[in-house]
Amino acid sequence: MTTMGTSRIFVAGHRGMVGSAIARRLAAEPGVELVTRASSELDLTEQAAVRAFFENERIDQVYLAAARVGGIRANDTYPAEFIYRNLMIEANVIHAAWKAGVKHLLALGSSCIYPKFAPQPIMEEALLCGELEPTNEPYAIAKIAGIKLCESYNRQYGVDYRSVMPTNLYGPGDNFHPVDSHVIPALIRRFHEAKVAGASSTVLWGSGRARREFLHVDDLADACVLAMNVSRERYYSVASERCSHLNVGYGTDVTVRELAELVASVVGYEGRIEQDLDKPDGTPRKLMSSARMMSLGWQPKIDLAAGLASTYAWFLDAHQVAA
């Protein structure tokens, strides 16, 4: 990233997995002054508070990584919270940024915006071309709204607000809640606890046949900084005003069963993995095409096995548990 003087950059959601990775990445850049606020200091769902923040802080760029996120169970259990909080965060931050004269913003979305049965690998144009996965539809609709907010403000007000759609993410800073976490942290915790307890078996939700793509969050952070700072001409040589978001994925996928076996190996759990066929699989497959992002010069660097090993090490340290 090239800067002239000092850029004041607001990373919304800097304590989350994605926001913290972006903040780490930006901290290595010259001429960057990071601006952050904990949710206890700035509630992004409160319009007046967000407006006052932008009026006072003279922000040059915004990375909008704040979101209410969770796995299948959390999405299915708290649909109102997922759609409300994410809509409010996006609307408040994007509108207040525009009102304060911020010209550059990058919104972080999710691959769940795409139809449940989208052709694989999923191209950006698949957006709004089919039915969403029911278990996370409220969250997906909120994230779609974020894309359309950026596109609409660009069209009407001439700003340059961009969006990237990451695939399934993992890495340091992930949420390892025993019930509401995504699949990788859920498996790491489950297999670790089973290993410590000496359990002869543990349970994997669904059939295990669903396929998923996974990207380390530090690779995503590199993509975000590139997507924010590449010239407008280059960005819109691969995107368009009516399809402005870019996919960010690893490029290959695995079955959930293969993932579980790899996590078990990394953790050192040697018991049986049994399938609970009464639990949902979610979308059958969700592999994205990241060709456009890669054409701008980005490539993922961290393979799944190495990324899982470092994530497990982070889990042990952060949660102060024995291996």
Side-chain angles (χ1 to χ4, degrees), residues 16-177:
M17 177 176 64
V18 173
S20 62
I22 293 171
R24 287 194 302 272
R25 175 67 176 75
L26 290 172
E29 294 287 344
V32 168
E33 183 180 349
L34 278 177
V35 180
T36 60
R37 292 292 187 274
S39 57
S40 58
E41 300 171 297
L42 176 61
D43 183 349
L44 296 177
T45 67
E46 294 294 332
Q47 186 181 56
V50 176
R51 183 173 63 245
F53 167 80
F54 276 97
E55 287 173 350
N56 293 330
E57 291 298 328
R58 297 175 292 105
I59 301 298
D60 297 303
Q61 292 184 347
V62 177
Y63 288 83
L64 179 47
R68 172 68 166 99
V69 299
I72 290 177
R73 181 191 178 279
N75 274 271
D76 208 27
T77 305
Y78 311 112
E81 183 174 341
F82 271 79
I83 193 168
Y84 172 77
R85 291 191 64 81
N86 287 297
L87 283 172
M88 294 300 292
I89 289 168
E90 291 163 348
N92 288 342
V93 171
I94 290 169
H95 186 71
W98 165 71
K99 289 285 284 184
V102 176
K103 299 296 186 184
H104 302 284
L105 178 147
L106 187 75
L108 278 292
S110 167
S111 59
C112 72
I113 65 169
Y114 292 116
K116 181 173 183 176
F117 299 109
Q120 309 285 316
I122 304 171
M123 299 291 292
E124 286 86 351
E125 287 85 358
L127 181 65
L128 298 176
C129 288
E131 181 182 356
L132 297 167
E133 160 59 37
T135 55
N136 58 21
E137 182 184 70
Y139 176 73
I141 288 173
K143 287 301 177 181
I144 292 168
I147 297 172
K148 295 305 176 182
L149 275 165
C150 289
E151 291 176 355
S152 298
Y153 277 64
N154 290 346
R155 286 169 55 201
Q156 185 167 343
Y157 301 126
V159 291
D160 191 1
Y161 293 176
R162 304 172 182 180
S163 304
V164 293
M165 298 299 116
T167 190
N168 301 286
L169 300 170
Y170 70 99
D174 211 340
N175 171 22
F176 288 82
H177 189 278

